[in-house]
Protein backbone atom coordinates (compact mmCIF):
# COMPACT_ATOMS: atom_id res chain seq x y z
CA UNK A 1 0.00 0.00 0.00
CA UNK A 2 1.22 3.46 -0.87
CA UNK A 3 -0.37 6.92 -0.79
CA UNK A 4 -1.98 7.78 -4.10
CA UNK A 5 -1.29 11.52 -3.83
CA UNK A 6 -4.87 12.35 -2.85
CA UNK A 7 -4.53 11.41 0.79
CA UNK A 8 -5.73 7.84 0.29
CA UNK A 9 -3.86 4.55 0.54
CA UNK A 10 -4.11 2.30 -2.49
CA UNK A 11 -2.94 -1.20 -3.34
CA UNK A 12 0.09 -1.12 -5.63
CA UNK A 13 1.32 -4.19 -7.45
CA UNK A 14 5.05 -4.62 -7.98
CA UNK A 15 5.80 -4.98 -11.70
CA UNK A 16 9.50 -5.67 -11.15
CA UNK A 17 9.78 -9.40 -11.83
CA UNK A 18 13.55 -9.67 -11.93
CA UNK A 19 14.05 -8.30 -8.38
CA UNK A 20 17.24 -6.61 -9.55
CA UNK A 21 18.34 -3.91 -7.10
CA UNK A 22 20.21 -2.11 -9.88
CA UNK A 23 17.02 -1.59 -11.88
CA UNK A 24 16.74 2.01 -13.08
CA UNK A 25 13.01 2.22 -13.76
CA UNK A 26 11.02 4.89 -12.01
CA UNK A 27 8.51 4.22 -9.25
CA UNK A 28 5.68 4.82 -11.74
CA UNK A 29 7.05 2.12 -14.02
CA UNK A 30 7.73 -0.25 -11.15
CA UNK A 31 4.33 -0.08 -9.46
CA UNK A 32 0.80 0.09 -10.80
CA UNK A 33 -2.34 0.82 -8.84
CA UNK A 34 -5.08 -1.77 -8.66
CA UNK A 35 -8.67 -1.59 -7.51
CA UNK A 36 -8.71 -5.30 -6.71
CA UNK A 37 -10.83 -5.65 -3.56
CA UNK A 38 -9.58 -9.17 -2.93
CA UNK A 39 -6.33 -7.81 -1.49
CA UNK A 40 -7.57 -6.48 1.83
CA UNK A 41 -5.43 -8.66 4.10
CA UNK A 42 -3.38 -5.73 5.38
CA UNK A 43 -6.24 -3.27 5.78
CA UNK A 44 -6.82 -3.92 9.52
CA UNK A 45 -3.16 -3.18 10.21
CA UNK A 46 -3.24 -0.09 8.03
CA UNK A 47 -6.39 1.09 9.82
CA UNK A 48 -4.71 0.60 13.20
CA UNK A 49 -1.71 2.59 12.00
CA UNK A 50 -4.02 5.37 10.82
CA UNK A 51 -5.70 5.40 14.24
CA UNK A 52 -2.30 5.67 15.91
CA UNK A 53 -1.37 8.57 13.63
CA UNK A 54 -4.72 10.19 14.45
CA UNK A 55 -3.96 9.85 18.17
CA UNK A 56 -0.66 11.66 17.68
CA UNK A 57 -2.36 14.45 15.75
CA UNK A 58 -4.96 14.74 18.49
CA UNK A 59 -2.30 14.93 21.21
CA UNK A 60 -0.69 17.83 19.37
CA UNK A 61 -3.97 19.71 18.99
CA UNK A 62 -4.51 18.91 15.31
CA UNK A 63 -8.03 17.52 15.60
CA UNK A 64 -8.81 18.23 11.95
CA UNK A 65 -5.95 15.98 10.78
CA UNK A 66 -6.87 13.40 13.41
CA UNK A 67 -10.40 13.37 12.03
CA UNK A 68 -9.16 12.77 8.47
CA UNK A 69 -6.99 9.85 9.56
CA UNK A 70 -9.80 8.34 11.64
CA UNK A 71 -12.28 8.61 8.77
CA UNK A 72 -9.79 6.90 6.47
CA UNK A 73 -9.34 4.15 9.08
CA UNK A 74 -13.12 3.73 9.23
CA UNK A 75 -13.24 3.33 5.47
CA UNK A 76 -10.57 0.62 5.60
CA UNK A 77 -12.24 -1.15 8.51
CA UNK A 78 -15.64 -1.15 6.80
CA UNK A 79 -14.09 -3.09 3.93
CA UNK A 80 -13.04 -5.78 6.43
CA UNK A 81 -15.75 -5.89 9.11
CA UNK A 82 -19.53 -5.66 9.32
CA UNK A 83 -21.20 -2.49 10.57
CA UNK A 84 -21.95 -4.28 13.86
CA UNK A 85 -18.32 -5.13 14.65
CA UNK A 86 -16.96 -3.55 17.87
CA UNK A 87 -14.03 -2.07 15.95
CA UNK A 88 -16.43 -0.12 13.73
CA UNK A 89 -18.33 1.12 16.79
CA UNK A 90 -15.12 2.29 18.46
CA UNK A 91 -14.00 4.10 15.33
CA UNK A 92 -17.39 5.80 14.96
CA UNK A 93 -17.14 6.88 18.60
CA UNK A 94 -13.70 8.38 17.95
CA UNK A 95 -15.06 10.25 14.92
CA UNK A 96 -17.87 11.66 17.06
CA UNK A 97 -15.41 12.88 19.69
CA UNK A 98 -13.16 14.48 17.06
CA UNK A 99 -16.10 16.18 15.38
CA UNK A 100 -17.08 17.65 18.75
CA UNK A 101 -13.53 18.97 19.11
CA UNK A 102 -13.73 20.58 15.65
CA UNK A 103 -17.12 22.16 16.52
CA UNK A 104 -19.03 19.96 14.07
CA UNK A 105 -21.76 19.07 16.54
CA UNK A 106 -24.26 17.98 13.89
CA UNK A 107 -21.70 15.64 12.35
CA UNK A 108 -20.87 14.24 15.77
CA UNK A 109 -24.35 12.78 16.07
Amino acid sequence: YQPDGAGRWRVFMNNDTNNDASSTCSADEKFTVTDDDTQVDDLPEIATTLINIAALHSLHGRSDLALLCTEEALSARRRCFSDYHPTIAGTLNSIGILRCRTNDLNGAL
Side-chain angles (χ1 to χ4, degrees):
Y1 294 90
Q2 295 179 353
D4 67 356
R8 305 272 186 210
W9 287 88
R10 304 285 297 208
V11 177
F12 283 80
M13 301 300 295
N14 188 348
N15 291 333
D16 188 11
T17 57
N18 63 5
N19 293 327
D20 183 8
S22 64
S23 177
T24 59
C25 64
S26 71
D28 291 335
E29 294 168 344
K30 205 170 193 179
F31 295 97
T32 56
V33 69
T34 179
D35 288 325
D36 185 7
D37 285 341
T38 62
Q39 298 184 7
V40 295
D41 293 340
D42 294 334
L43 282 178
E45 289 84 6
I46 291 172
T48 300
T49 301
L50 286 166
I51 292 295
N52 291 338
I53 292 169
L56 290 173
H57 283 309
S58 185
L59 284 173
H60 292 284
R62 298 183 298 253
S63 296
D64 53 339
L65 292 175
L67 180 60
L68 289 174
C69 288
T70 306
E71 287 173 341
E72 185 68 25
L74 177 64
S75 175
R77 286 178 169 170
R78 279 194 164 150
R79 291 180 60 191
C80 300
F81 305 112
S82 73
D83 284 341
Y84 302 104
H85 195 276
T87 303
I88 301 294
T91 308
L92 287 170
N93 184 55
S94 296
I95 288 173
I97 291 168
L98 289 167
R99 286 193 176 166
C100 282
R101 288 184 186 165
T102 58
N103 294 321
D104 181 13
L105 300 180
N106 290 330
L109 298 176

